[in-house]
């Protein structure tokens, strides 16, 4: 689309600023609506010359709207009565509309539970449709200093069966500057990105070898090309023993610039304090164009309108958790998977200074010793010869 | 009694016939029962080889089952590597006492049986720890296993020396070491399979599956114990029939010798510790590394993880011969260390097919074993050789124990790249030591890096002189000198070079030392 070029320029400037001063991030819960029965979280990240809007909401399926605006003063407008009506199209917009250079959305639609029997026949249990969940108010979980919030939900039918003792949650973290998370998977992030962590805690599996998969749908304006990239890196020092990083990038039509990304490591963890041995294998199953209409994710409808296929397209990807033996979840009853979503190029891990310096010292010292040793030997021999000379 | 008849049968024809070969004699024992005849000695040889099979097989059980151990026992990698460390701890001390225990306390026969029992009991406790889901019990098992394992290797060599002499002995050491390699390789490739069969049988995975698998692995230890018992009986019988003495290690260890060790020897120690620390803990963690980094299947990972052992079996004699013919030990060690460094760097920083790196590692490892261990004999006087080798093994075990735990911790917190960088740094440390050794040797005019030709030439020149000196020396201290017959010097060195235990019994060097142990006229490595 035409907006791709300005975005590129914008993020080039913004990225530079992000590295230096970062962004001013503010969080606002249900702006302009004094009711906590629904959740809408507006994260506004203001850079030197632009603003990034993240709109998280659990109205309908949990979703996030990412909008880049070329104005520092752009604001989010919500027409609440329309948003909560059956026809929400046009209920959310950025003011001024002309400042918007790029927008996309990510919707977490479904959680599948299946068991992989030995016959390789997958047995699917009834799917958890996240748009049918009821979500706790995030107001209590909102942390304005750590910039985090947590959407916790259980099926709308009530806490029975598998969810009698458990819940499903999306933990959102916004970033002001470039950096790296402390706990595993220690994703590297930019100031132009946010993190969401999908957490299944205490949900009882319905079978002996149950595995879970999360369906993630992305909404892109027509003309934007999406690609799933799997990068195998030799560098696993930040996420021990995980060598694969996956990223779902949205590129402008001519493929010249990356507009936005979802990035994750091929692992989930089975513990609240993740360690290497809690790792749960995570696989992604090919990106597919989704022809279906989006489930009731109101903010996507509210922002993009009803033009599926004409003004925007939907793709979906399944992320499944559990390796050859899906035992870890059975034991721990905990699963957390982190994904970074943001604008521009996804960040790439580089060798830590420690690794580089160890290699430099380790390889350099023998070389230096070889040189010094040779000099000493030459010197000593010359001395010997000069001592011998008078005798000869 | 039958025994008396045997004795008569043996002693009768032995009068004039040196080999006891009197097939025509009706009173002769069947060949298999006659301790002087080849079939019987072959039987003994087979028993000797299988004596160590169990301990070699079980030593690397944890490596073969790393995923299973960590999953079933719910331990992190540092705790897992402690299983290897616990094996090494007792040997930090026992290296000095193994020989003493055999010579003075138990005797070779009882000693062998006792050490075999230690190995068996250790393995059973190890398996039991898994069965009852108690990890510390598994560690106790490995500790007891370690007490037996390393000393058993000493006993095995002592047996070999007492039954076989000269050229035969080379072959016997070679076969024993091949058996060790086979034990390790079979273990690497079969334990995973046994585990999956047990899993099919029980229908689930868990500590009991692991315990049962390890118990089945322990059968090899029982088998080795049986060999020890039969061997004890046969040895006793041979002693009675032939009035043969019980084998002795002849090991003399004086810890005060340590203060006389030269700088070169200390450098050799550093090379040894740093090099082995970068090989054995790596193999201990290797299987999962190949699965996770290179996406290998479990079987393929087992195969590549055992390639170092597989390569070293045929390559060691070749390199042994090569180093023996060409001399220049330091250059060979340098090549081996650089190759190892290259292979570690390859594994760390590339996704190249790891078979290349592992084969290189296997070749380098064999080369190092052949070139490094004999160097000790060049820089240490004969009478300190026991102490030097004991000390070298002791700190090797200490290094292995510490590095094993450190490696596990690094893997858990920093991942494989950092671990490989750490191992590379260890190899670099040993590279530094090699470079220093080269210069120290060069400056002090040492003989470590002489070519074999030069050695021979100088040796001929020195021979007469040395002989003269030797005669004088013998006159002066005739008692001491005469107490140690040549065959014992010869077997002494053999033992030190071959008793490097489950981790590294790689070098069997044999020297028919004419006088001051400068000459290695015959060196054989397996």
């Amino acid at each position: 689309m035409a907006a791709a070029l300005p975005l590129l320029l914008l993020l080039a400037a913004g990225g530079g600023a992000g590295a230096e001063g970062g962004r001013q991030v503010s969080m606002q819960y249900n702006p302009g609506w004094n009711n906590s029965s629904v959740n809408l979280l507006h994260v506004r990240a203001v850079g030197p010359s632009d603003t990034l809007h993240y709109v998280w909401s659990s109205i309908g399926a949990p979703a996030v709207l990412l909008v880049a605006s070329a104005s520092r003063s752009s604001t989010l407008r919500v027409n609440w009565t329309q948003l909560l009506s059956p026809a929400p199209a046009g209920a959310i917009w950025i003011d001024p509309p002309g400042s918007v250079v790029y927008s996309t959305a990510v919707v977490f639609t479904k959680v599948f539970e299946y068991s992989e029997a030995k016959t390789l026949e997958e047995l699917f249990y009834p799917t958890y449709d996240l748009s049918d969940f009821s979500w706790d108010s995030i107001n209590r979980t909102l942390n304005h200093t750590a910039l985090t919030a947590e959407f916790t939900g259980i099926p709308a039918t009530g806490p029975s069966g598998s969810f009698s003792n458990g819940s499903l949650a999306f933990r959102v973290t916004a970033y002001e500057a470039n950096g790296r998370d402390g706990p595993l998977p220690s994703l590297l992030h930019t100031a132009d990105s946010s993190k969401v962590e999908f957490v299944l805690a205490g949900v009882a599996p319905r079978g002996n070898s149950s595995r879970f998969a999360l369906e993630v749908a992305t909404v892109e304006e027509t003309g934007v090309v999406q690609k799933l990239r799997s990068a195998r890196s030799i560098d696993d020092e930040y996420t021990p023993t995980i060598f694969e990083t996956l990223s779902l990038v949205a590129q402008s039509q001519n493929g010249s610039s990356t507009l936005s990304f979802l990035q994750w490591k091929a692992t989930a963890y089975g513990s609240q304090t993740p360690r290497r041995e809690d790792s749960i294998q995570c696989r992604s199953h090919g990106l597919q164009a989704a022809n279906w209409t989006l489930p009731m994710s109101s903010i996507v409808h509210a922002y993009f309108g009803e033009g599926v296929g004409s003004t925007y397209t939907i793709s979906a990807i399944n992320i499944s958790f559990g390796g050859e033996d899906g035992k870890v979840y059975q034991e721990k009853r905990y699963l957390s998977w982190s994904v970074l979503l943001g604008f521009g190029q996804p960040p790439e891990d580089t060798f830590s200074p420690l690794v580089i310096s160890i290699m430099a010292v380790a390889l350099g010292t023998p070389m230096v010793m070889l040189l010094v040793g040779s000099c000493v030997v030459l010197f000593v021999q010359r001395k010997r010869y000069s001592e011998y000379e008078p005798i000869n | 009694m039958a025994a008396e008849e045997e004795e008569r049968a043996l002693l009768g024809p032995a009068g004039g016939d040196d080999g006891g070969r009197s097939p025509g004699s009706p009173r002769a024992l069947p060949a298999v029962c006659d301790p002087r005849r080849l079939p019987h000695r072959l039987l003994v040889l087979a028993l000797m080889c299988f004596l160590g099979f169990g301990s070699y097989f079980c030593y690397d059980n944890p490596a073969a089952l790393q995923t299973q151990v960590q999953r079933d026992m719910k331990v992190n990698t540092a705790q897992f590597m402690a299983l290897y460390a616990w094996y090494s701890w007792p040997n930090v001390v026992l290296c000095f006492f193994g020989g003493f225990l055999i010579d003075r306390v138990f005797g070779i026969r009882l000693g062998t049986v006792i050490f075999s029992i230690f190995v068996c009991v250790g393995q059973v406790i190890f398996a039991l720890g898994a069965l009852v889901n108690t990890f510390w019990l598994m560690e106790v098992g490995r500790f007891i296993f370690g007490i037996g394992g390393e000393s058993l290797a000493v006993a095995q060599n002592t047996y070999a020396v007492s039954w076989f002499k000269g050229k035969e002995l080379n072959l016997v050491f070679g076969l024993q070491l091949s058996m060790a390699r086979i034990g390790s390789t079979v273990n690497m490739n079969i334990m995973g399979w046994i585990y999956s069969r047990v899993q099919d049988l029980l229908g689930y995975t868990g500590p009991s599956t692991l315990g049962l698998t390890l118990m089945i692995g322990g059968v090899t230890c029982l088998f080795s114990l049986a060999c020890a018992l039969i061997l004890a009986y046969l040895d006793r019988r041979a002693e009675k029939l032939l009035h043969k003495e019980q084998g002795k290690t002849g090991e003399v260890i004086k810890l005060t010798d340590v203060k006389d060790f030269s700088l070169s020897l200390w450098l050799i120690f550093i090379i040894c510790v740093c090099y082995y620390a970068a090989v054995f803990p790596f193999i201990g963690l290797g299987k999962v590394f190949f699965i996770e980094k290179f996406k290998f299947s479990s079987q393929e990972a087992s195969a590549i993880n055992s390639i170092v052992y597989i390569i070293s079996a045929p390559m060691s004699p070749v390199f042994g011969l090569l180093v023996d013919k060409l001399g220049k030990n330091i250059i060979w060690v340098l090549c081996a260390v650089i190759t190892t460094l290259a292979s570690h760097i390859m594994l760390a920083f590339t996704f190249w097919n790891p078979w290349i790196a592992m084969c290189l590692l296997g070749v380098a490892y064999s080369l190092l074993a052949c070139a490094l261990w004999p160097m000790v004999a060049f820089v240490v006087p004969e009478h300190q050789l026991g102490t030097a080798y004991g000390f070298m093994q002791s700190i090797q075990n200490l290094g292995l124990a510490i590095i094993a735990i450190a490696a596990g911790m690094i893997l858990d917190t920093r991942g494989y790249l950092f671990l490989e960088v750490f191992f590379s740094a260890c190899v670099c440390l040993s590279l530094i030591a090699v470079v220093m050794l080269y210069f120290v040797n060069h400056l002090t005019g040492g003989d470590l890096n002489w070519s074999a030709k030069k050695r021979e030439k100088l040796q001929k020149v020195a021979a007469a002189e040395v002989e003269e000196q030797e005669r004088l020396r013998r006159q002066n201290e005739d008692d001491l000198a005469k107490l140690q017959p040549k065959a014992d010097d010869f077997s002494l060195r053999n033992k030190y070079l071959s008793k490097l235990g489950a981790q590294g019994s790689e070098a069997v060097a044999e020297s028919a030392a004419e006088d001051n142990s400068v000459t290695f006229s015959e060196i054989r490595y397996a």
Side-chain angles (χ1 to χ4, degrees), chain A residues 335-347:
Chain A
L335 184 146
S336 111
W337 172 68
S338 301
V339 57
L340 194 70
L341 34 87
F343 299 91
Q345 283 283 355

Side-chain angles (χ1 to χ4, degrees), chain B residues 394-408:
Chain B
S394 171
I395 56 172
Q396 187 195 357
N397 273 301
L398 188 69
L400 282 177
I402 293 169
I403 300 281
I405 292 175

Side-chain angles (χ1 to χ4, degrees), chain B residues 162-228:
Chain B
S162 89
W163 276 81
F164 302 92
K165 291 270 188 311
K167 289 274 182 196
E168 267 179 349
L169 194 56
N170 286 337
L171 185 69
V172 170
F173 277 125
L175 281 174
Q176 284 184 348
L177 287 168
S178 299
M179 211 52 187
R181 292 285 169 271
I182 291 169
S184 306
T185 310
V186 169
N187 158 68
M188 287 284 189
N189 291 291
I190 209 172
M191 285 309 278
W193 180 78
I194 293 179
Y195 185 93
S196 65
R197 295 319 302 250
V198 172
Q199 183 188 336
D200 289 347
L201 193 75
L202 295 179
Y204 58 90
T205 61
S208 41
T209 320
L210 181 67
L212 211 57
T213 309
L214 292 174
M215 279 291 181
I216 293 171
V219 169
T220 56
C221 293
L222 273 184
F223 174 62
S224 291
L225 176 62
C227 289

